[in-house]
């Protein structure tokens, strides 16, 4: 697995806020940063990385292609702009952020364009995000499963998406979880809090440790240095069998992210 187990997310963070968050994350030990064209923060993320003084080859940087840039004549130029904003010659991973609404641009077209970007050296790896099983099947047909580093999808104790994750695992597609804390709702869950007390951990650490135990990568974000550091320690928290089973029972197919006109027909 090439995608790091834990990285720092930057969704909804902009300007000085995202600069501070990324700098703090790098200072406390993160080496993976997740951004996207639609976040409108690639320049700020690039500035934070540049000012950190950390060598480029020590970092794993992910960005995502927005739906307006999926056509074959737009994808590579848009990625080159992202690279200019990030002040980098390449990113480590480029994802298709969302499948094209109403199949306006075919999966084959944008995956072939993304593979061309990889061959051009603009990105080390490529992958997908918010893809259902039928969409993953199309992506595999387009570029081969060996060229799909991950499918980044919403996953939390309340949305465990077993059908998708198990299918992906059978195909050899790694899963990255976003919205792992369910917008913070899962932090208040009594089951999670009881497990946290048992281990002397935070609720966030428990949830992230559960996701990591399930084999997923996680990309939590925070504007607070202490939370960034705390989240990083989730990689060493060992949950027991009872903990895992208790969290698995919290699944209620509660999805937080499903934008009208953008979301596919979920599995």
């Amino acid at each position: 697995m090439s995608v790091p187990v834990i990285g720092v997310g930057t969704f909804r963070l902009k300007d000085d806020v995202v600069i501070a968050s990324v700098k703090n994350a790098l200072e406390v030990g993160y080496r993976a940063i997740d951004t996207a064209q639609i976040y409108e923060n690639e320049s700020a993320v690039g500035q934070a990385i540049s000012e950190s003084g950390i060598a480029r080859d020590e970092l794993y940087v992910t960005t995502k292609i927005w739906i307006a840039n999926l056509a074959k004549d737009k994808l590579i130029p848009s990625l080159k702009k992202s690279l200019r904003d990030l002040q980098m010659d390449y990113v480590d991973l480029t994802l298709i952020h969302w499948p094209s609404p109403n199949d306006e641009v075919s999966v084959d077209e944008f995956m072939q364009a993304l593979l061309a970007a990889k061959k051009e050296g603009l990105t080390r790896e490529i992958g997908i995000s918010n893809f259902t099983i039928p969409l993953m099947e199309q992506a595999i047909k387009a570029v081969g499963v060996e060229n799909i580093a991950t499918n980044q999808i919403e996953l939390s104790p309340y949305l465990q998406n077993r059908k998708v994750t198990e299918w992906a695992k059978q195909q050899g597609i790694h899963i990255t979880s976003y919205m792992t804390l369910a917008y913070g709702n899962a932090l208040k869950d009594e089951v999670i809090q009881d497990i946290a007390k048992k281990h002397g951990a935070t609720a966030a650490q428990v949830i992230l440790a559960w996701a990591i135990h399930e084999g997923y990568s996680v990309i939590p974000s925070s504007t607070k240095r202490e939370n960034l550091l705390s989240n990083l320690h989730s990689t060493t928290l060992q949950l027991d069998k009872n903990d895992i089973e208790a969290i698995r029972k919290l699944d209620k197919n509660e999805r937080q992210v499903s934008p009208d006109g953008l979301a596919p027909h979920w599995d």
Side-chain angles (χ1 to χ4, degrees):
M1 186 187 91
S2 56
V3 182
V5 169
I6 191 167
V8 66
T10 62
F11 177 54
R12 289 188 168 175
L13 306 182
K14 291 187 181 182
D15 305 323
D16 290 346
V17 175
V18 78
I19 290 170
S21 176
V22 170
K23 280 186 174 180
N24 279 323
L26 293 172
E27 285 172 10
V28 301
Y30 288 83
R31 289 297 177 266
I33 310 292
D34 181 278
T35 183
Q37 293 176 342
I38 197 64
Y39 297 172
E40 297 181 343
N41 64 11
E42 288 172 312
S43 293
V45 168
Q47 180 183 332
I49 291 172
S50 176
E51 292 175 359
S52 75
I54 294 170
R56 175 68 185 90
D57 60 7
E58 291 181 29
L59 301 173
Y60 191 97
V61 179
T62 299
T63 195
K64 310 180 198 80
I65 305 293
W66 187 239
I67 58 169
N69 300 322
L70 292 179
K72 61 183 177 183
D73 60 334
K74 293 181 180 177
L75 192 147
I76 285 178
S78 81
L79 181 53
K80 286 180 176 177
K81 181 184 184 302
S82 291
L83 293 176
R84 289 194 297 272
D85 289 343
L86 287 162
Q87 302 178 45
M88 294 173 185
D89 296 325
Y90 68 92
V91 282
D92 299 274
L93 175 63
T94 304
L95 305 178
I96 299 297
H97 202 154
W98 288 87
S100 185
N102 303 314
D103 206 30
E104 189 176 313
V105 180
S106 71
V107 174
D108 184 72
E109 179 176 335
F110 61 64
M111 291 305 297
Q112 290 285 351
L114 194 56
L115 184 59
K118 179 182 178 181
K119 289 176 179 175
E120 203 173 308
L122 305 176
T123 182
R124 296 281 173 87
E125 297 185 286
I126 61 174
I128 52 184
S129 181
N130 299 300
F131 272 45
T132 59
I133 292 172
L135 287 164
M136 283 192 283
E137 288 177 323
Q138 292 180 56
I140 290 169
K141 188 177 179 182
V143 298
V145 72
E146 70 278 4
N147 281 308
I148 302 173
T150 195
N151 184 10
Q152 186 179 121
I153 59 175
E154 181 184 349
L155 275 175
S156 76
Y158 296 155
L159 179 73
Q160 298 188 24
N161 229 332
R162 293 286 170 193
K163 188 178 177 184
V164 169
T165 59
E166 287 169 11
W167 190 91
K169 187 175 182 181
Q170 288 168 4
Q171 305 303 313
I173 295 178
H174 178 63
I175 293 290
T176 300
S177 162
Y178 75 79
M179 212 61 70
T180 317
L181 308 180
Y183 271 144
N185 294 335
L187 299 174
K188 307 164 197 166
D189 193 286
E190 287 185 10
V191 171
I192 301 289
Q193 290 186 349
D194 286 345
I195 295 170
K197 284 176 191 170
K198 183 172 105 177
H199 290 278
T202 67
Q205 285 173 335
V206 167
I207 296 167
L208 295 171
W210 160 77
I212 292 167
H213 176 275
E214 299 288 56
Y216 314 141
S217 293
V218 293
I219 46 170
S221 65
S222 180
T223 57
K224 297 179 179 177
R225 186 185 179 96
E226 59 268 29
N227 289 347
L228 287 163
L229 182 58
S230 175
N231 289 345
L232 194 58
H233 289 158
S234 64
T235 58
T236 58
L237 175 59
Q238 296 294 317
L239 301 180
D240 61 39
K241 187 177 178 181
N242 292 336
D243 302 330
I244 297 298
E245 283 304 314
I247 296 173
R248 283 178 178 168
K249 289 176 182 174
L250 296 177
D251 190 11
K252 51 187 177 180
N253 199 35
E254 185 177 280
R255 190 177 293 279
Q256 302 284 339
V257 182
S258 188
D260 289 342
L262 188 60
H265 179 71
W266 301 114
D267 298 286

